[in-house]
Amino acid sequence: MSSLDQKSPNVLLQSLCCKIIGKTEAEVAHQFQYAVRVIGSNYAPTIERDEFLVSEKIQKELLKQRRVADAALFSELHRKLQTQGVLKHRWSILYLLLSLCEDPRKPSRDASFGALIAQALPRDAHSTPFYCARPQSLSLSHPERFSLAQNPNSMGTSGVSSLGVYSLNGPQILLAGHQTAAESLRQPLGSHLAWNLLPTASPSFAPTSRGPLLPVITSARSALRQQRDGDSNAEIGEATLVRDILYVFQGIDGKFIKMCSQANCYKIDEKVLLSRSLRDTSSRLAELGWLHNKVRKYTDARSLDRAFGLVGQSFCASLHQELKEYYRLLSVLHSQVEDDQGLNLGAESNLTLRRLLVWTYDPKVRLKTLAALVDFCQGRKGGELASAVHAYGKTGDPYMRALVQHILGLVSHPILNFLYRWIYDGELEDTYHEFFVASDPTVKTDRLWHDKYTLRKSMIPSFITMDQANKVLLIGKSINFLHQVCHDRTSPGKIVPASKSMDSPRDAAELFADQEGAFQGKIDAAYFDTSKYLLDVLNRNYLLLEHLQAMRRYLLLGQGDFIRHLMDLLKPELARPATTLYQHNLTGILETAIRATNAQFDSPEILKRLDVRLLEVSPGDTGWDVFSLDYHVDGPIATVFTRECMSHYLRVFNFLWRAKRMEYTLTDIWKGQMCNAKLLKNMPELSGVLHQCHILASEMVHFIHQMQYYITFEVLECSWDELWNKVQHAQDLDHIIAAHEVFLNTIITRCLLDTNNRSLLNQLRAIFDQIIEFQNAQDTLYRSGLEELQHRLQFEEKKRQRQEEGEWGVTTVQEAKESRHVQEFQETIPKMRSQLRILTHFYQGMVQQFLVLLMTSSDESLQFLSFRLDFNEHYKARDPRLRASLGASRGRRSSNM
């Protein structure tokens, strides 16, 4: 253990006092006792405890010393420190580090700080010491010590002098400046003295490596108020008004100029006898104090409000900077009315009201802008606050535009940090909801892409376009989708070559100002790299495009040989009542159909997802009504094939399956007619009925063929080709999802499955039912005819056998019986003909109504479908509503519109 560690705290404190003051232990006994009392007290410094502002100042110090790498490392370590709960007083540690970073080799450090401690000792034991924000940066000269010696109680408990200087980190006192500065500033300074007056006034105020050195004035609030409240009976002159105006500039009521709460402005006491010109000039100057109070009130109310967020704190920091420059000007003006010993010069001062008007012209313009900005930004935070600041930058005055651009740089810097973390790491650390990307932690992983991340449109800064905001949202969403859904462990740095640089507020303002240049380039680069990598992962690891093609082949009946064979195998099962079906039997038939067709060559990953599904059973349903194919989706591909999409596929499959069944049924009808035509040729009484069946079947075949052509080629194939082209050229996953949704919505609409075409769909289903009725009627006809034919053939065969045996072929009784049987059969033929005539009448009426609905549809493809269905104008001749041409109908609709 070192000798330093073995010493007690008191010994170390006494050694520190000796070192600072430069005297022996006996000579610093009084100061040592005071230091012990101060350390044992709970005094707090008067600066604002704002961790963000201190960290920003440390980074600026490092950047001024050209230590960019250290500044970046400090920012990263500070960010990690904020996420830990180990330290409770991070601000105190950061402030200590900031104080320790001062160069110990500078001569002003020990001398000024020692003089401050030695001279600031109170005369009584109950007074409170004053702590500056940066005591080591203040230089105390002889006039300062003299002023403190003349008024030892001037350091009140508030710790704020009458000028109340507030730097970026909080209030600091204004002490008297150097003699050379005061002397040089007593000369006429010209009309351009404003914010930049101080650095050019004297070498004593030149900026050091640590930033601009604040000029200091020694009077504290109590001493200034004693001066202000002096002899009221003295004659009121311009010098007295100048003193009052300087108080008002700081928001402090003067002796004769005070704040009127009712009028919300500074007013001169009406009892004071002043000329009109002096009164008007003073009122104009007092407006500067009112503007100062407005800005100061906003910063005081918001600086400690953590819910205001980082953007709001940056805005307050920018206002603090402007106020600091304003206080520097006030310190220069104050030096014009006091000599080096802090005594009032009175009439000897060169400072007049007219000169104040000239010197405060530019500060007043700046404060007006700040006050208007404060009013406009009330109640705003985050990106909305940045938009408000940006709106004030659209001015033709380059001076004011530079001011707003400087503030915008500070305000937009946190937004840029949010944006970089989001697009390069996928991290969203937005505690106070300031960023325009919002996250919902309650959303589960399967809905991450659709619902977890959204845009807060109110928080999108006006200097960021909606297209850029959407790309920013998509970049971070893609990174999180890769990590959480695709379980891809590739680091974001390998996906996007991040150019993360610790941009300063000025760089942030320039970057956002260059919308079409650097900023757009960074967004586009991150967007293209991330989206391309995500699509490659989905296609390579999860076979997204193969699954999309499988949907087309199986659920949209694109695999013709498989669908036909499956329907052949399922026909006996599906003809049974729906309540007698079992899913495992249908699944076995499905596997048989796969092994017997080209479907067997598909990927096992696709075939294992294909399954059978039975819909809800209604009374009287057969297997045809409840059977459906199903395709199981999970994992990342479920983001494209959502539940809504699969529901659409199910609806389309049921429609296509029903239409395919009609085609299959008409094929069976045609085969029955071809096979039975020759057999029933010997029954001439059936020729008329059979001819009627052939005509009706031909009408139905034509109708179904045209509908199948329309569905297969004009709806499915055209829509699929458009979808596939969009998918091949898609730049991100959202483009694929959008194209897929458009594809499904198109086929839902054009297959008459939407709400607008419900009447058309109902009419089409009624036509399909008539086809089933016709099949049943024809089967009954052929069954009856074949039975009668079989009976007649058997009668003739028996008759021939008896003749061969030498007997009569038929007896009178047998012949009478056979005649009665033939007559009974012939009596059923008119009933069959009547049934077919009724069926034909209902069918043609439904088709006719269907054509009318097609003609009145707004979809031109449906209008042309009506033309193909009635190509020979058979229905047109029967219904006058169908006689209007397509062009005429379109013309009427356009005129009605």
Side-chain angles (χ1 to χ4, degrees):
M1 181 181 293
S2 64
S3 60
L4 184 62
D5 295 333
Q6 296 175 356
K7 294 182 180 180
S8 65
N10 289 337
V11 175
L12 294 176
L13 181 59
Q14 189 174 28
S15 301
L16 181 61
C17 292
C18 295
K19 175 66 174 176
I20 293 176
I21 301 178
K23 297 182 181 179
T24 63
E25 295 181 0
E27 293 174 331
V28 299
H30 185 61
Q31 287 84 348
F32 170 67
Q33 293 177 1
Y34 175 71
V36 171
R37 187 167 69 252
V38 170
I39 292 179
S41 66
N42 58 353
Y43 297 144
T46 58
I47 65 175
E48 297 177 10
R49 294 176 177 270
D50 195 322
E51 178 185 349
F52 172 75
L53 295 180
V54 177
S55 65
E56 284 290 312
K57 198 162 187 178
I58 292 177
Q59 292 185 52
K60 288 182 179 180
E61 289 288 341
L62 294 174
L63 292 175
K64 287 178 182 178
Q65 300 175 16
R66 301 184 182 278
R67 297 166 60 184
V68 179
D70 292 341
L73 178 60
F74 170 79
S75 177
E76 182 65 21
L77 293 176
H78 180 233
R79 185 186 64 80
K80 292 181 178 179
L81 181 64
Q82 289 177 319
T83 61
Q84 306 295 328
V86 180
L87 298 178
K88 296 182 179 180
H89 303 288
R90 294 193 299 269
W91 174 88
S92 302
I93 294 176
L94 292 176
Y95 184 73
L96 175 62
L97 296 176
L98 178 61
S99 301
L100 293 177
C101 76
E102 297 296 331
D103 190 353
R105 294 173 296 179
K106 290 196 176 294
S108 62
R109 181 178 185 271
D110 295 336
S112 63
F113 197 22
L116 179 63
I117 294 179
Q119 298 298 330
L121 292 176
R123 297 299 180 87
D124 58 273
H126 302 286
S127 60
T128 303
F130 176 78
Y131 294 88
C132 297
R134 296 282 297 277
Q136 63 270 35
S137 66
L138 302 177
S139 178
L140 297 183
S141 61
H142 173 71
E144 297 159 3
R145 299 189 184 98
F146 174 79
S147 176
L148 289 172
Q150 292 295 325
N151 190 4
N153 295 324
S154 61
M155 297 298 181
T157 57
S158 65
V160 183
S161 70
S162 61
L163 287 178
V165 171
Y166 276 71
S167 69
L168 180 62
N169 287 333
Q172 293 179 341
I173 63 170
L174 290 178
L175 303 176
H178 295 283
Q179 183 177 358
T180 56
E183 291 176 353
S184 62
L185 291 174
R186 292 194 189 106
Q187 306 300 325
L189 295 178
S191 61
H192 294 287
L193 180 59
W195 250 244
N196 297 323
L197 168 65
L198 189 56
T200 60
S202 171
S204 300
F205 297 91
T208 66
S209 61
R210 297 186 299 272
L213 181 62
L214 287 179
V216 291
I217 298 177
T218 95
S219 35
R221 183 180 296 271
S222 59
L224 287 173
R225 285 181 175 174
Q226 289 176 5
Q227 280 186 333
R228 181 195 67 192
D229 300 331
D231 187 5
S232 60
N233 296 324
E235 184 180 354
I236 303 302
E238 186 173 0
T240 305
L241 286 177
V242 168
R243 286 178 53 218
D244 266 22
I245 287 296
L246 290 180
Y247 293 133
V248 171
F249 283 170
Q250 307 161 57
I252 303 173
D253 286 350
K255 183 177 180 180
F256 306 104
I257 306 177
K258 297 182 179 181
M259 185 67 178
C260 178
S261 57
Q262 295 179 351
N264 191 23
C265 65
Y266 283 97
K267 285 189 175 182
I268 303 175
D269 191 351
E270 297 179 355
K271 298 179 181 180
V272 177
L273 298 178
L274 284 178
S275 63
R276 184 178 182 85
S277 62
L278 289 179
R279 185 179 293 271
D280 292 343
T281 305
S282 300
S283 298
R284 291 170 59 188
L285 289 170
E287 184 183 356
L288 197 63
W290 182 87
L291 295 172
H292 162 268
N293 291 349
K294 191 174 191 64
V295 178
R296 175 69 181 281
K297 181 181 179 181
Y298 181 85
T299 57
D300 289 347
R302 291 293 190 176
S303 293
L304 299 180
D305 183 8
R306 294 195 174 275
F308 199 29
L310 297 179
V311 177
Q313 294 300 327
S314 298
F315 181 56
C316 290
S318 65
L319 296 178
H320 274 303
Q321 286 186 357
E322 296 300 323
L323 289 179
K324 181 180 68 173
E325 298 298 323
Y326 173 69
Y327 294 138
R328 292 175 64 187
L329 172 62
L330 295 187
S331 68
V332 176
L333 298 177
H334 193 77
S335 67
Q336 299 295 298
V337 297
E338 291 186 354
D339 63 3
D340 298 334
Q341 285 75 32
L343 301 177
N344 183 25
L345 294 176
E348 298 179 3
S349 172
N350 292 326
L351 192 60
T352 63
L353 294 179
R354 289 185 176 274
R355 288 186 177 181
L356 280 179
L357 281 175
V358 174
W359 292 346
T360 59
Y361 176 78
D362 286 343
K364 187 175 180 179
V365 174
R366 294 174 75 91
L367 282 180
K368 276 187 176 180
T369 303
L370 297 180
L373 197 56
V374 162
D375 278 339
F376 190 64
C377 294
Q378 289 288 349
R380 302 174 189 264
K381 60 180 290 186
E384 190 178 7
L385 177 62
S387 298
V389 176
H390 179 255
Y392 266 80
K394 298 177 181 179
T395 175
D397 186 352
Y399 184 71
M400 301 314 301
R401 186 167 59 247
L403 169 64
V404 176
Q405 286 296 327
H406 171 70
I407 297 176
L408 182 62
L410 288 172
V411 170
S412 59
H413 191 225
I415 298 178
L416 183 64
N417 290 334
F418 286 141
L419 190 144
Y420 275 2
R421 293 292 300 276
W422 175 248
I423 66 175
Y424 291 131
D425 299 328
E427 298 179 4
L428 190 61
E429 297 181 1
D430 187 14
T431 307
Y432 303 107
H433 309 297
E434 304 172 84
F435 195 42
F436 55 84
V437 175
S439 173
D440 186 355
T442 62
V443 176
K444 296 182 180 180
T445 306
D446 58 339
R447 296 294 299 176
L448 181 144
W449 187 269
H450 297 282
D451 300 331
K452 188 174 181 63
Y453 301 105
T454 55
L455 282 178
R456 291 192 192 100
K457 293 186 178 180
S458 62
M459 289 297 172
I460 300 178
S462 56
F463 44 82
I464 294 181
T465 64
M466 183 58 69
D467 179 65
Q468 292 171 341
N470 285 324
K471 285 185 177 180
V472 168
L473 171 66
L474 192 62
I475 294 168
K477 188 165 64 173
S478 299
I479 295 175
N480 284 280
F481 184 82
L482 284 168
H483 292 170
Q484 301 180 35
V485 181
C486 298
H487 305 290
D488 185 85
R489 301 305 177 188
T490 305
S491 62
K494 295 183 179 179
I495 300 175
V496 181
S499 58
K500 279 199 268 188
S501 59
M502 290 300 171
D503 293 341
S504 65
R506 180 178 180 182
D507 296 332
E510 294 177 352
L511 186 64
F512 284 135
D514 188 13
Q515 287 292 303
E516 303 299 330
F519 180 69
Q520 184 69 41
K522 288 187 177 183
I523 296 298
D524 288 342
Y527 165 75
F528 287 120
D529 293 340
T530 306
S531 299
K532 182 178 182 301
Y533 184 81
L534 174 59
L535 294 181
D536 289 343
V537 169
L538 289 176
N539 292 328
R540 181 179 64 253
N541 300 342
Y542 297 97
L543 306 177
L544 175 61
L545 297 183
E546 285 76 0
H547 288 299
L548 194 62
Q549 291 176 328
M551 296 286 184
R552 171 69 182 94
R553 289 199 300 270
Y554 298 111
L555 295 188
L556 301 183
L557 311 187
Q559 190 77 21
D561 60 333
F562 166 76
I563 296 300
R564 181 67 188 186
H565 190 62
L566 178 64
M567 194 168 285
D568 289 337
L569 296 177
L570 287 174
K571 181 180 179 181
E573 289 288 330
L574 299 184
R576 297 163 51 190
T579 54
T580 63
L581 296 181
Y582 295 97
Q583 187 165 353
H584 60 275
N585 293 336
L586 301 179
T587 302
I589 295 175
L590 174 64
E591 293 176 354
T592 302
I594 291 175
R595 290 193 299 268
T597 58
N598 288 329
Q600 61 182 313
F601 301 111
D602 274 344
S603 170
E605 176 67 19
I606 292 175
L607 294 179
K608 73 178 183 180
R609 296 177 181 270
L610 193 62
D611 197 3
V612 170
R613 179 176 181 178
L614 293 177
L615 306 179
E616 185 178 353
V617 179
S618 299
D621 284 348
T622 63
W624 291 103
D625 300 317
V626 298
F627 174 82
S628 176
L629 288 180
D630 195 13
Y631 198 86
H632 300 293
V633 292
D634 53 16
I637 64 171
T639 301
V640 178
F641 304 107
T642 60
R643 294 181 180 179
E644 295 80 5
C645 292
M646 297 310 298
S647 175
H648 289 338
Y649 274 115
L650 182 61
R651 292 180 61 193
V652 175
F653 174 82
N654 290 332
F655 173 79
L656 297 178
W657 182 257
R658 187 183 293 267
K660 181 63 70 173
R661 180 195 175 189
M662 295 302 106
E663 181 181 357
Y664 188 83
T665 299
L666 287 173
T667 301
D668 287 345
I669 291 174
W670 178 82
K671 287 192 298 185
Q673 290 177 349
M674 294 300 102
C675 294
N676 296 322
K678 293 182 179 181
L679 294 177
L680 299 178
K681 182 174 62 175
N682 296 326
M683 299 180 66
E685 63 269 24
L686 290 178
S687 60
V689 178
L690 296 180
H691 179 69
Q692 190 175 354
C693 288
H694 291 173
I695 292 176
L696 183 56
S698 298
E699 289 186 22
M700 291 181 175
V701 167
H702 169 71
F703 181 87
I704 292 300
H705 281 179
Q706 293 301 322
M707 287 300 302
Q708 284 288 74
Y709 174 85
Y710 167 76
I711 294 171
T712 303
F713 295 99
E714 293 192 20
V715 177
L716 295 180
E717 289 300 329
C718 294
S719 300
W720 173 258
D721 183 68
E722 184 178 353
L723 169 65
W724 192 251
N725 288 335
K726 289 181 179 179
V727 168
Q728 293 296 324
H729 297 89
Q731 296 179 349
D732 55 57
L733 183 57
D734 267 345
H735 288 170
I736 294 180
I737 294 175
H740 185 240
E741 290 179 352
V742 169
F743 166 73
L744 287 178
N745 291 334
T746 301
I747 61 177
I748 285 287
T749 300
R750 303 188 68 183
C751 286
L752 314 178
L753 299 176
D754 60 338
T755 56
N756 296 330
N757 294 317
R758 183 166 297 176
S759 58
L760 272 171
L761 180 63
N762 293 334
Q763 197 70 19
L764 183 62
R765 287 177 176 174
I767 295 174
F768 288 167
D769 292 339
Q770 290 299 311
I771 294 176
I772 301 299
E773 290 291 333
F774 173 65
Q775 183 188 29
N776 295 332
Q778 180 174 279
D779 288 345
T780 301
L781 172 63
Y782 282 132
R783 185 166 51 250
S784 176
L786 291 175
E787 289 177 355
E788 178 64 22
L789 178 63
Q790 184 67 23
H791 176 79
R792 292 182 182 183
L793 291 176
Q794 290 177 356
F795 179 80
E796 293 295 330
E797 181 64 22
K798 289 180 181 181
K799 182 179 178 180
R800 187 180 60 79
Q801 289 178 357
R802 287 193 185 99
Q803 289 177 352
E804 289 178 355
E805 292 175 356
E807 298 179 358
W808 293 99
V810 59
T811 63
T812 304
V813 175
Q814 291 176 341
E815 184 176 8
K817 183 179 178 181
E818 181 66 19
S819 297
R820 285 195 305 270
H821 181 78
V822 171
Q823 185 177 1
E824 290 177 357
F825 174 74
Q826 290 177 350
E827 289 178 354
T828 62
I829 293 177
K831 295 181 181 179
M832 295 180 184
R833 184 180 291 109
S834 176
Q835 183 180 2
L836 285 176
R837 189 179 297 110
I838 293 173
L839 186 63
T840 303
H841 174 75
F842 278 121
Y843 171 78
Q844 291 181 345
M846 292 178 182
V847 172
Q848 184 172 318
Q849 182 64 28
F850 184 72
L851 292 176
V852 172
L853 293 175
L854 289 179
M855 284 291 296
T856 57
S857 174
S858 59
D859 190 348
E860 290 189 356
S861 61
L862 294 179
Q863 297 176 20
F864 284 110
L865 174 62
S866 69
F867 171 76
R868 289 197 301 272
L869 291 174
D870 190 24
F871 73 99
N872 59 355
E873 299 184 353
H874 171 73
Y875 294 99
K876 181 179 179 180
R878 300 175 56 182
D879 193 336
R881 293 176 296 178
L882 298 175
R883 295 174 186 175
S885 64
L886 294 180
S889 62
R890 286 199 301 270
R892 286 197 304 270
R893 282 196 304 275
S894 62
S895 62
N896 293 333
M897 293 174 61

